Amino acid sequence: MSFESEMKIMSRNFRNGADKIAPLPAVPWLKSDDGLSRLYEEFPRLMERGEVYYASLVQANSCLFKPANGDLTPSVASIIYNHKRPRETVENPMILRIFSHYLYGYKNKMPEEIPEWIQPAVSAITDELDRSRVVIKAGAKDDFAMNITLQSVLVFREHLPKTKLDGGILPIIAAPKECESVMILPQRFWSSEFIRDWSYTMRLPND
């Protein structure tokens, strides 16, 4: 599968159908002061100005890895994506998958063991109530030479094939210069080939 080709298809699908995306359903547990609630305020602008990006899953509520079985209550995941969308993450978003593992590997480490440049991101994924949007800026001597955004995202099960998380790479809608929120691209805009390959080609051996 060519990730770049599938990105073009999904981007075109989104541009042609963004105005038909239904308003987001209410989330029973979401409080008004939760940073995730900003998505509702930013939703119209995100649909108007957003573009499709590849993101990589860092962690998610364990319930999201199982079929909904009728319960479509949204839950939360942490993702990373490159907010500048360089060509290398479009051609091979598995680069982001590798970084997800690198970042998550420090989650239970002592502070002195964590490289300084990822400490804010590790702190954010360690505190499950932290909704911080963290821009991870890598220096020339760091392990990954690209800037990456980490943030929490509401996961609406109806936006996923089979109503569950099955692959580590996700197409998302983002407008980094306009909105703080991002949203998983609803599955009806995914390309058929991306859906077909999602569950088994977008994993690493330790996924």
Side-chain angles (χ1 to χ4, degrees):
M1 184 184 75
S2 166
F3 281 107
E4 186 174 16
S5 295
E6 301 314 301
M7 168 69 79
K8 290 178 180 177
I9 293 170
M10 292 189 283
S11 294
R12 183 173 63 247
N13 291 346
F14 172 63
R15 283 195 301 271
N16 292 339
D19 59 338
K20 299 179 179 65
I21 296 178
L24 300 175
V27 180
W29 53 262
L30 188 64
K31 298 179 180 179
S32 59
D33 61 350
D34 189 319
L36 290 170
S37 66
R38 189 178 294 110
L39 175 61
Y40 289 83
E41 175 187 338
E42 295 183 336
F43 179 76
R45 191 160 63 240
L46 190 61
M47 295 304 101
E48 179 183 353
R49 303 290 182 87
E51 296 181 83
V52 179
Y53 291 70
Y54 282 130
S56 176
L57 184 68
V58 177
Q59 63 182 11
N61 189 306
S62 59
C63 69
L64 290 171
F65 297 99
K66 301 173 184 178
N69 293 326
D71 181 8
L72 294 176
T73 303
S75 194
V76 183
S78 298
I79 61 165
I80 58 168
Y81 76 106
N82 190 299
H83 50 279
K84 293 187 177 180
R85 200 165 59 168
R87 183 160 188 167
E88 58 262 40
T89 62
V90 174
E91 293 179 337
N92 182 20
M94 294 304 288
I95 296 171
L96 298 172
R97 197 83 204 103
I98 293 169
F99 185 78
S100 291
H101 280 276
Y102 174 83
L103 181 63
Y104 190 82
Y106 283 100
K107 183 175 179 180
N108 296 312
K109 300 288 187 181
M110 299 297 292
E112 60 269 20
E113 297 178 87
I114 304 171
E116 184 177 356
W117 68 289
I118 60 168
Q119 285 178 2
V122 173
S123 176
I125 64 172
T126 300
D127 181 352
E128 63 181 37
L129 297 180
D130 190 335
R131 312 300 194 198
S132 299
R133 181 174 182 252
V134 182
V135 177
I136 306 166
K137 296 184 178 181
K141 295 182 180 179
D142 295 321
D143 295 320
F144 286 82
M146 73 169 60
N147 294 342
I148 290 172
T149 298
L150 164 79
Q151 66 185 94
S152 299
V153 60
L154 278 173
V155 180
F156 297 94
R157 285 182 172 274
E158 56 266 46
H159 291 173
L160 300 172
K162 301 179 183 177
T163 68
K164 68 186 182 82
L165 289 170
D166 210 9
I169 302 298
L170 291 161
I172 64 167
I173 305 167
K177 294 182 179 180
E178 302 278 343
C179 307
E180 290 190 21
S181 304
V182 301
M183 190 180 87
I184 295 173
L185 182 71
Q187 60 166 318
R188 65 190 177 95
F189 299 114
W190 295 21
S191 69
S192 56
E193 191 164 354
F194 190 93
I195 292 175
R196 185 197 68 194
D197 291 352
W198 189 42
S199 64
Y200 63 91
T201 64
M202 297 177 212
R203 295 179 178 177
L204 295 175
N206 50 347
D207 274 348

